[in-house]
Every structure is written in structure tokens, then in C-alpha cells.
Amino acid sequence: MSTPAGVGDVSPAERAREQKGWFFADWAVSAFQTTVSGVLFAPYLIEIAKAAAVDNRIDVLGLSIAPGALPSYVITFSTLLSALIYPLVGAIADRTSRKPDLMAGFAWAGALCAALLFFMTGDNWWFGSIMFIIANLCAGAAVVVSDSILPLISTEEERDRVSSIGWAYGYAGGGLLLAVNFLLVTFADPLGLGTALAVRISMLSAGLWWAGFIIIPWRRIRRHQPADVEDVSGGVVARSFGQLFVTLRELPQYPVALTFLLAYLFFNDGIQTVISSASIYGVEELGFETGTMLGIYLLVQFVAVGGAIFFGRLAKSFGAKRVILGGLVGWMVIVVAAYFVPEQTLVPLLVVAVGIGLVMGGTQALARSYFSLFIPAGKEAEYFSLYHAMDRGTSWLGTLVFGLVYQLTDSYRPAILALIAFFVLGGALLALVNTAKGIEQAGNRTPQRV
């Protein structure tokens, strides 16, 4: 298979067209990540589980689980499955020019399962859990493929900007749908729907949004021929496993990339756990209504649009690594502040929400573009599959710790405070990453500012 021309050989106009289409991949999937995963699913699942509980416990494969801890365990199980699936997805994607088709296929499968959450009623928490697990797995697989397209449509100098704008699109798109769902849930009773039906309709809308908008990047992104594919024999799955084994065997040759992945495992674990547990913390610990937390999450989404763009501009002046480290300090401050927010006190919660919005978009967007500098040509999807194995695959410790601390203390406050350890460890490891050496090891071109 021939090696494609470098991305720098493509005209700026053609790159810009693909980049604008690629932005809508984040716009599309964020509907599921915000309305469903971020806000509505966990509190609604708890209510469904409570309806099935006996003595405030439900039976999960022989284990006695508190309904309030169920979402954390569901997410943990989903992420463990991801660790097995995503690397194979990456190996398959790197062997084909049809990355946009793979991305859209995973998106449509996930969107279907997200839409089917509309039928999670009564006490059938099993159905809702299974649909969410599949949708979450598909979302991660679609993002693995989408992120692997970033190095194919942008030069090294463009990466931070393109990644940051993509994240901004994601927060704007997710926030726009969330605003509609916020109104629907808030005025559910006057509309004659009831809160439960309004929540189910909102989750259905997220699936439809995701399925519809993924058509834009699917149509606009060219089918780039794969580069430097390993010569391994067998069928599609066998060749993909062969490609994966070659990559894993060669990975120690890129120690800087490995160090970053380990750092990312810890600090992103903390980020993802804060995001996935925020609505539980607000509803169950602080005593706010689901509609209020929808409004809070909506605020975070729109602040994050500006935060992602702002961090991208800071990276242009100071380099992505320094800006990410600064963002991690911000996360530590936020976790401590969240611990002290009084019950039913809105203003301190709003301050914490603004802080989350500022650092959330920027740290995630720059982590994606920063890591792309350490990826050898032709290995984009495989390396991003490992990246997302840390993100949604092996990054399960945070949700597990959160659930266990709650189980032991019957309070979400110590559970949220425990997450500060992940930012400390992740930041310490990130400080050890030698950016220039990592770019050299991958054979990439060093941008002006690193």
C-alpha cells in the first residue's frame, strides 16, 4: 500500500474544508456525552434502581449494591470493556482509508442505543445499564477514529488550534441541545409530561442529534490512504491483531509517548470522574433538583467553549505542556472548592461550575493535540486507541474510587475530594515528559512553540 503525501502537501483550502467538517464530529457526539452521560443518565438510573431495591440494595450478579453507587459501577464496567476493544478498533482503522465510514458506523450504533434509553422505565435498570454500556463503548470507538483523523488533516503548527476549535464545537453543540432539554425538564409538569418522561425524551433527542450531525464529517473528510502499514498476513481481524502486536512491541521505542500516556491515565481519570459524577454530587449530596443541575451543566458547557479557545491561544504563546500543567492546578483547586460547597447554596456551586468550564475544555483539547506530536506516521488510530484506553478504557480507577468511598462513608463529599490524588500524580508525571525528544522519536516535525 502506497504512502500518502504529507498533510503539508495538501492545499490550505482543502485542509480547511476537512477541518471544518471534522469539527462536527465533536459537535455530534457531545450530545450523548452531555445530555445522557454527563447529566441525565446517572440520576435517572438511580431512581429506576431505587424502584427495584429491597432494603435500599439491588442484586447485581450476586453483589449487594446501593442504588446510589450503581452508575459508578456501570461506568467502570464499560471502561474495562473499552480497554479490550479500543486497541483493536485502532489497529483496524490504521489499515483502511475508510476512517470516516468507521467513525460514522460506530456513531450510528451508539446513537441507536442512546435513543433506546427512552424505554428505560419502571424498575428495568438492567435494560438501561446495558444500552448505556453499548452506547458508551460506541462513543469511545467513534472518538478514537475521529481523533486519529486530526494528524491527517492538520500540520503540527495547526494541531493545538484545530483540536481546541473541535472541542469548542463539541461544547457548543452539546450545550445547545442541553439548553433545549433543560427547558423541557424544567417545564415538564406544565407541559403535562412529568419529569421522568421529559428525561426519557431528552435522552432520545441526544441519540437523534448524534446520528444526524455525524453525517457532516462523514461526507466532508477525504478517505486518506494508510501509511507505513505493517506487512502481516491473515484476514481482517487477524491482520489487525498482527498490526496491534507490532505496535505494542515497538511502543517501548517511544518512551516519551509512554510517559505521557501514564500521566494522562491519572489526570484524565480525575477529569472524567468529576464530569461523570457532577450531576450525582449535585442532586444526591447538595440537594438540588435535576433541572437545576441541567442548568449548571449548561453553564459549564458554554464557559468551556471559551475555555477551549482561550487555552489554545495560550498554548500558541507558552506551549501546550505548560498550559496543561496550569490547568491541572486549576482542577485541584476546583475539587477542594467542591468539597466545601454547602447544601442548597447556589452561588458557590456556580463559581465551581465556571471554574470547571474554564479548565475542562482547555486541558482536554490540548492533551489531544499534544499527544498527536508523539505519534509515528501511519499509527494514528492505534496510538489514539491507547490514548482512549486511558480515557475510557483503563481509566476506571476514578469512578471505582468514587463509588467505593461513597459506599464506605455514605457521603459524596469525601468521594469527590479523593479525586485530587489523580491530578497530583498526573501532573507530576506530565512534568517529566520531554516534548522535543518525543517529537524526534516519532519522526515528526517540531512546531515553533512546544
Side-chain angles (χ1 to χ4, degrees), residues 106-316:
F106 283 121
W108 286 324
L112 174 62
C113 291
L116 288 175
L117 289 172
F118 176 81
F119 298 103
M120 181 171 62
T121 59
D123 60 358
N124 61 347
W125 58 267
W126 267 111
F127 173 79
S129 298
I130 292 170
M131 288 301 100
F132 176 82
I133 287 168
I134 298 173
N136 203 37
L137 287 172
C138 288
V143 171
V144 165
V145 182
S146 171
D147 283 357
S148 75
I149 295 172
L150 174 62
L152 305 180
I153 62 173
S154 59
T155 64
E156 288 86 347
E157 283 79 7
E158 296 170 336
R159 299 274 173 84
D160 289 339
R161 177 184 61 82
V162 173
S163 182
S164 296
I165 294 175
W167 274 104
Y169 264 68
Y171 288 123
L176 181 60
L177 181 64
L178 190 60
V180 175
N181 290 329
F182 168 71
L183 294 174
L184 183 65
V185 172
T186 301
F187 297 102
D189 290 335
L191 291 172
L193 298 175
T195 300
L197 179 56
V199 168
R200 290 162 51 213
I201 292 173
S202 296
M203 292 191 289
L204 172 63
S205 73
L208 297 176
W209 177 287
W210 187 6
F213 279 108
I214 200 63
I215 294 173
I216 297 175
W218 178 57
R219 294 292 300 273
R220 287 194 180 183
I221 296 172
R222 294 184 298 120
R223 275 57 181 167
H224 297 259
Q225 289 298 319
D228 299 328
V229 175
E230 304 295 340
D231 184 15
V232 290
S233 60
V236 173
V237 174
R239 291 198 308 272
S240 298
F241 269 117
Q243 172 92 12
L244 175 60
F245 291 150
V246 170
T247 296
L248 291 175
R249 189 169 61 245
E250 294 178 349
L251 195 55
Q253 299 176 21
Y254 306 98
V256 175
L258 276 172
T259 303
F260 176 81
L261 283 173
L262 187 59
Y264 187 72
L265 163 65
F266 286 105
F267 76 72
N268 188 68
D269 201 354
I271 293 172
Q272 293 300 326
T273 306
V274 171
I275 294 171
S276 64
S277 304
S279 61
I280 301 175
Y281 188 74
V283 173
E284 300 294 327
E285 184 67 38
L286 301 183
F288 290 102
E289 296 294 329
T290 299
T292 302
M293 291 311 300
L294 267 174
I296 295 294
Y297 207 93
L298 182 60
L299 172 65
V300 170
Q301 288 294 117
F302 286 114
V303 172
V305 173
I309 295 174
F310 176 63
F311 270 57
R313 291 177 178 175
L314 286 178
K316 188 175 181 180

Side-chain angles (χ1 to χ4, degrees), residues 56 87 156 188 227 304 311 325 342 363 389 441 445:
N56 198 34
E156 288 86 347
F311 270 57
L325 285 170
T363 48
Q441 289 171 350
R445 187 164 58 87

